[in-house]
Amino acid sequence: MSLLALTIVFPLLGAIVLSLFPRMNDGLAATIGAASVGLAAATTAIVMVFWGAAGGYPHIQTLWHWISVGDFQVDFSLYLDGLSIVMLGVITGVGFLIHLFATWYMKHDLEGGSGMARFFAYMNLFIVAMVLLVLGNNLLLLYLGWEGVGLCSYLLIGYYYKTEANAWAAFKAFIVTRIGDVFLAIGMFLLFTSFGTLNIQTLLHEAPQVWAEGGTMVNVTALMLLLGACGKSAQLPLQTWLADAMAGPTPVSALIHAATMVTAGVYLIARTHGIFELAPVILNLVGVIGGVTLLIAGLAAIAQTDIKRVIAYSTMSQIGYMFLALGVGAWHAAIFHLMIHAFFKSLLFLTSGSIIIACHHEQNIFKMGGLRKTLKLDYWMMLIGGAALSALPIVTAGFYSKDAILWLSIANGHGILWLFGLVGAFITAIYTFRMIFIVFHGEEKIHAHAGSGITHHLPLITLAVLSTFLGALIVQPLGGVLPSGEVHGHHGMEIFFEIISSVVALLGIGAAAALFIGKRELINNMVDTPIGAKTWTFFHNALGFDWLYDKTIVQPYLLLARLHKRDYVNSLMNLIPATASGLNAALVTTQSGRLRWYAATVFGGAALFLVVLVLFG
């Protein structure tokens, strides 16, 4: 277990070396970046074996005493249990595959190359921050990793900083997620005020003894934690940053905005589940936010033309499923879907990156078409990933994880949320296969060149295998860590609802085929109508949330800034020193050094004194 710290040390060393030698050879930089994460993944595998052999009990490794101020004591300690080991496996395992693919992608990226060391330094630093987040034994260490991934996200989204739109996308992601971070910090302050510690396990143990279920303090604290989670996981109302974050290189989208960072909010709620269970109203709100977000994101994805934005909105939607699962008490199902989602969504993003490079950096799906003939591997990879995203029955891993969420939603008495999830599944199948049919079927519109090499093939094929039913065979050691939320004795009903969700997914694929294979006359006629055009624009703009926030928050703020540009309050306060300065200037003029002026002043003052005596004496 002493090897646990190496999961942080290896990528940290890689980031340090790459930062100290930013002009090193691109091939060497890529090797250092990928190898350091590969060593972390190998270390994780070894830790898993030893941890399982030791009985799978929680393990704490204290590296040093971090902060000691009076009664406030915080150790830099790592906590390993079933939940953190699942997250660690996803971060380092999937992270290594993404790094490996990035060594191929960045060599073929027209804007990359010269910044290879910088790119992998950021990527490695992100892995460090994410590992800290999930292994932190206290909320302060978790928050350090939390802010670290936010910083690295900003750096990687704005990697192509010479393009102004990319820089603004990075700013947007940083600012919006910071709003959530402020709420998380407030939640931490409330927890420390109530318990005098930030140790997570101590908080979970003492919370039921100190707080009554449904009390004001526990509700407010849980709400603060939820809003913090919404920021990182791009959930309503802080969801607007994720689609614009696609400005970064495609491996960044796969690592940060599919497999790891956007799941941090899910991890936070799961890790602090004891607090949310004491606040059932807020826990229900978690499910409602997830249900509404998955529908909003799904409708937005239907009308996107950029291949990466389609997948980005699908990420937002799938995180919504995880929030929905948490809200209905399906804790195991939420983390199971988190892991499966990391597999198939990374596959989809990496495959989209391969397609973009093959199509000479074209990202508009309507400028592609017929690519299944030239990009055969990419076609099958996209088909497997899309099938898993759409929860194609039996053969895909997504079927088992998503259907577990839907079943537990209805089994635990949340029929409305189940309906949200079911409608979302139908929409998911439509937009996923819309993308696949438009890109790979129909008339060939662009001459593409297929990717090659082991660094291109191996990550895609590995993730594809994990996205099939084989990935669903992975057993997560969550027993005793999270409440299962399982409902027993209704096997027949479970099969019935699985059939319903399977039929809905197949109907969605059929609808996509009817609308987007061939000449697409029906959908074109629908969009050409006035109502259809407005609806498409509404969906394309993600239901207008950016416009709404701009009108209700950004513009009023800018107006106040313009009104207070001169800072009238400060100007009023400046009257005092201005008056003193003016009086001083007037007195200075009397000190002229001329004798006649002094004599005239004396006589004038004496005359004024006499007049005053005569009039008022």
Side-chain angles (χ1 to χ4, degrees):
M1 294 301 180
S2 59
L3 297 175
L4 187 60
L6 294 179
T7 59
I8 300 172
V9 171
F10 284 134
L12 180 60
L13 287 176
I16 292 173
V17 172
L18 291 166
S19 300
L20 291 176
F21 304 98
R23 300 182 187 277
M24 71 169 62
N25 175 270
D26 288 344
L28 179 60
T31 301
I32 292 174
S36 58
V37 178
L39 289 172
T43 303
T44 299
I46 296 171
V47 168
M48 285 181 177
V49 172
F50 281 103
W51 179 78
Y57 298 108
H59 171 75
I60 299 175
Q61 182 178 355
T62 301
L63 302 180
W64 64 80
H65 297 295
W66 187 16
I67 299 174
S68 180
V69 180
D71 295 333
F72 183 56
Q73 308 288 329
V74 178
D75 292 335
F76 199 100
S77 57
L78 310 179
Y79 184 80
L80 187 69
D81 64 357
L83 177 58
S84 56
I85 208 162
V86 169
M87 296 296 298
L88 189 62
V90 169
I91 295 164
T92 59
V94 177
F96 169 64
L97 294 174
I98 294 171
H99 274 71
L100 188 62
F101 183 87
T103 62
W104 173 87
Y105 180 90
M106 296 306 291
K107 285 191 296 185
H108 294 80
D109 189 0
L110 294 178
E111 294 183 271
S114 61
M116 192 79 84
R118 179 168 62 92
F119 173 80
F120 278 101
Y122 295 162
M123 292 278 278
N124 281 29
L125 191 60
F126 171 83
I127 294 291
V128 172
M130 195 68 201
V131 173
L132 275 177
L133 192 158
V134 301
L135 289 183
N137 190 36
N138 56 75
L139 286 175
L140 195 60
L141 189 55
L142 181 150
Y143 195 74
L144 176 64
W146 189 275
E147 291 299 317
V149 296
L151 171 63
C152 294
S153 176
Y154 165 77
L155 294 172
L156 286 164
I157 293 169
Y159 176 71
Y160 300 136
Y161 60 89
K162 294 182 180 179
T163 303
E164 185 177 1
N166 297 348
W168 279 113
F171 277 126
K172 182 177 181 179
F174 193 78
I175 292 170
V176 174
T177 55
R178 287 294 77 70
I179 295 171
D181 296 351
V182 170
F183 286 116
L184 175 57
I186 293 172
M188 290 169 55
F189 292 146
L190 293 175
L191 287 168
F192 183 75
T193 301
S194 298
F195 299 96
T197 181
L198 291 176
N199 183 281
I200 297 173
Q201 302 310 312
T202 303
L203 291 173
L204 295 180
H205 176 71
E206 294 184 1
Q209 304 171 24
V210 176
W211 283 338
E213 182 176 321
T216 301
M217 183 61 79
V218 69
N219 279 329
V220 172
T221 302
L223 180 61
M224 296 298 103
L225 297 178
L226 170 58
L227 291 173
C230 286
K232 276 290 185 289
S233 291
Q235 297 294 288
L236 190 73
L238 302 175
Q239 83 282 12
T240 57
W241 65 271
L242 184 62
D244 293 319
M246 296 304 106
T250 306
V252 173
S253 303
L255 179 65
I256 295 180
H257 309 123
T260 51
M261 188 186 97
V262 291
T263 62
V266 180
Y267 170 79
L268 174 67
I269 295 174
R271 177 56 78 192
T272 57
H273 64 91
I275 295 171
F276 283 89
E277 287 179 314
L278 291 174
V281 173
I282 305 302
L283 188 59
N284 286 332
L285 181 60
V286 174
V288 171
I289 287 175
V292 174
T293 304
L294 72 88
L295 288 180
I296 291 172
L299 293 173
I302 286 179
Q304 299 306 308
T305 57
D306 185 308
I307 188 171
K308 287 177 65 177
R309 289 181 76 90
V310 174
I311 304 174
Y313 280 114
S314 77
T315 297
M316 192 187 302
S317 180
Q318 295 306 302
I319 301 296
Y321 273 104
M322 297 175 207
F323 269 61
L324 189 152
L326 295 170
V328 302
W331 303 94
H332 286 201
I335 303 303
F336 184 43
H337 192 58
L338 183 155
M339 179 186 71
I340 298 300
H341 173 262
F343 298 153
F344 66 71
K345 192 53 62 65
S346 297
L347 174 63
L348 288 170
F349 265 121
L350 296 185
T351 304
S352 72
S354 178
I355 294 168
I356 290 168
I357 295 296
C359 294
H360 319 289
H361 291 77
E362 180 58 64
Q363 295 185 201
N364 190 327
I365 59 176
F366 288 99
K367 294 183 179 179
M368 300 175 188
L371 294 180
R372 73 183 188 280
K373 300 174 183 178
T374 53
L375 304 180
K376 295 180 179 179
L377 178 64
D378 292 339
Y379 176 58
W380 283 104
M381 297 298 100
M382 188 67 78
L383 202 58
I384 294 172
L389 173 58
S390 303
L392 200 67
I394 310 301
V395 295
T396 66
F399 165 75
Y400 299 95
S401 60
K402 186 181 290 186
D403 275 33
I405 295 174
L406 293 177
W407 158 242
L408 291 173
S409 298
I410 193 70
N412 289 332
H414 297 272
I416 300 297
L417 293 180
W418 170 78
L419 187 60
F420 276 32
L422 196 65
V423 174
F426 179 71
I427 297 173
T428 299
I430 293 178
Y431 70 67
T432 301
F433 278 85
R434 165 187 178 265
M435 174 183 67
I436 293 173
F437 292 146
I438 292 174
V439 170
F440 290 101
H441 292 260
E443 179 184 354
E444 186 175 356
K445 299 177 182 178
I446 192 169
H447 183 65
H449 300 279
S452 60
I454 189 171
T455 54
H456 174 272
H457 289 0
L458 182 60
L460 296 179
I461 294 172
T462 303
L463 289 169
V465 171
L466 293 172
S467 298
T468 66
F469 68 94
L470 296 175
L473 297 177
I474 298 175
V475 178
Q476 295 185 318
L478 298 176
V481 180
L482 296 174
S484 67
E486 294 291 335
V487 177
H488 301 285
H490 300 280
H491 186 63
M493 291 295 293
E494 182 177 356
I495 293 176
F496 173 73
F497 281 101
E498 285 180 353
I499 292 173
I500 291 177
S501 59
S502 299
V503 170
V504 166
L506 293 172
L507 287 174
I509 296 173
L515 293 172
F516 300 106
I517 288 182
K519 296 182 180 181
R520 303 194 285 270
E521 293 181 354
L522 178 59
I523 189 67
N524 288 336
N525 291 335
M526 291 169 62
V527 174
D528 285 341
T529 63
I531 295 178
K534 290 180 180 179
T535 302
W536 187 91
T537 302
F538 183 55
F539 289 170
H540 181 72
N541 293 324
L543 281 64
F545 277 92
D546 277 314
W547 176 87
L548 178 65
Y549 291 167
D550 181 66
K551 296 300 182 183
T552 59
I553 299 175
V554 177
Q555 293 303 325
Y557 177 82
L558 292 177
L559 176 62
L560 288 174
R562 287 192 293 269
L563 291 175
H564 292 84
K565 186 176 181 180
R566 297 181 60 86
D567 197 346
Y568 298 111
V569 174
N570 191 57
S571 299
L572 183 64
M573 298 301 295
N574 284 338
L575 283 177
I576 297 173
T579 302
S581 178
L583 292 173
N584 176 70
L587 290 174
V588 166
T589 59
T590 65
Q591 305 300 313
S592 63
R594 290 180 292 179
L595 185 60
R596 291 180 180 179
W597 170 255
Y598 294 156
T601 302
V602 171
F603 285 115
L608 180 62
F609 181 71
L610 290 174
V611 170
V612 171
L613 287 177
V614 171
L615 295 176
F616 304 101

